[in-house]
Amino acid sequence: KNQVEQSPQSLIILEGKNCTLQCNYTVSPFSNLRWYKQDTGRGPVSLTIMTFSENTKSNGRYTATLDADTKQSSLHITASQLSDSASYICVVSSSGTYKYIFGTGTRLKVLA
Amino acid sequence: DAGVIQSPRHEVTEMGQEVTLRCKLISGHNSLFWYRQTMMRGLELLIYFNNNVPIDDSGMPEDRFSAKMPNASFSTLKIQPSEPRDSAVYFCASSLVVSTDTQYFGPGTRLTVL
């Protein structure tokens, strides 16, 4: 069964600290993996998209990694800011029919 | 570019009524996605189009839901008749191509069915 699991469910960190969010998937055949940031009351915003051959992709202070062998991805946030407080959603799509399977998200709270 | 535009932003209706949600794609984009988001189920893909053609509608919950793209820049999602369990935030997103391109989301329509 195609599934995407994210951990932790929620996370609280202090401003300036780093954090890492996890995404494990069982989607097959794999096409790509996306990380989205969603602020409260707004639509998701794409952070990164990675295909099978990509191990790391950065977008400013956000760095995503992908291990296609273990079917794991992580999103690392460096020097967190208050504006990083949001939900982070991992989405994996399968090739061919482009099915999109969504994780339930990690809710991050950055405190001053 | 103004980005993806959705209307209305909020809709409150009574059970049994028809609801139509609207979405305008970013100019030049060829793919359109409709999503639904609730606290219980998170973000779900309902249907997506490529070049005005529906590609996958397996996420549409039941026959009460229908989506159309009457032209390359505009789409509607219709619920008839609406039910309280349809209450959710509905997003549409567009992208240049359907496969690995970035999807740009609209601000969403918050639907409440009483």
Side-chain angles (χ1 to χ4, degrees):
Chain A
K1 182 182 177 183
N2 288 330
Q3 282 187 318
V4 174
E5 294 184 354
Q6 292 187 243
S7 62
Q9 204 169 14
S10 61
L11 182 62
I12 300 174
I13 61 173
L14 292 177
E15 187 179 15
K17 297 296 186 182
N18 303 335
C19 68
T20 300
L21 313 181
Q22 298 289 342
C23 174
N24 297 338
Y25 62 93
T26 59
V27 177
S28 181
F30 175 87
S31 175
N32 60 76
L33 184 147
R34 304 164 187 248
W35 282 97
Y36 287 97
K37 177 189 178 190
Q38 186 175 21
D39 294 317
T40 301
R42 304 178 76 94
V45 173
S46 180
L47 294 175
T48 62
I49 303 172
M50 288 187 293
T51 58
F52 185 87
S53 59
E54 295 174 298
N55 300 118
T56 303
K57 186 166 276 192
S58 293
N59 179 354
R61 294 180 296 101
Y62 300 99
T63 300
T65 63
L66 174 64
D67 186 332
D69 291 331
T70 61
K71 298 187 176 180
Q72 295 179 328
S73 176
S74 64
L75 180 69
H76 186 74
I77 304 175
T78 303
S80 61
Q81 301 176 358
L82 298 179
S83 59
D84 293 330
S85 296
S87 289
Y88 292 83
I89 303 170
C90 174
V91 185
V92 180
S93 64
S94 63
S95 57
T97 57
Y98 293 112
K99 295 289 186 184
Y100 292 85
I101 298 91
F102 295 81
T104 53
T106 292
R107 188 178 295 273
L108 174 66
K109 179 75 172 174
V110 180
L111 301 178
Chain B
D1 198 316
V4 174
I5 299 173
Q6 290 188 246
S7 65
R9 293 295 311 277
H10 302 273
E11 177 81 29
V12 180
T13 190
E14 292 188 344
M15 184 174 64
Q17 296 297 306
E18 177 180 296
V19 175
T20 299
L21 311 181
R22 297 173 175 80
C23 175
K24 184 176 185 302
L25 285 69
I26 293 173
S27 177
H29 280 191
N30 298 309
S31 301
L32 180 281
F33 304 78
W34 279 104
Y35 294 89
R36 177 173 69 177
Q37 187 173 39
T38 61
M39 288 293 291
M40 289 296 294
R41 298 173 67 92
L43 196 62
E44 303 173 279
L45 177 63
L46 301 177
I47 184 172
Y48 68 91
F49 295 80
N50 192 43
N51 293 321
N52 299 10
V53 176
I55 303 301
D56 186 351
D57 64 354
S58 60
M60 296 286 261
E62 47 199 274
D63 292 344
R64 298 184 297 106
F65 286 69
S66 62
K68 293 182 180 179
M69 278 198 76
N71 58 57
S73 61
F74 183 74
S75 177
T76 59
L77 178 68
K78 187 175 293 186
I79 308 172
Q80 166 62 19
S82 58
E83 296 182 2
R85 59 192 168 121
D86 301 331
S87 297
V89 180
Y90 290 82
F91 292 102
C92 72
S94 73
S95 66
L96 262 174
V97 294
V98 73
S99 55
T100 57
D101 196 43
T102 299
Q103 293 181 21
Y104 296 87
F105 282 72
T109 294
R110 181 173 294 277
L111 172 66
T112 302
V113 183
L114 303 174

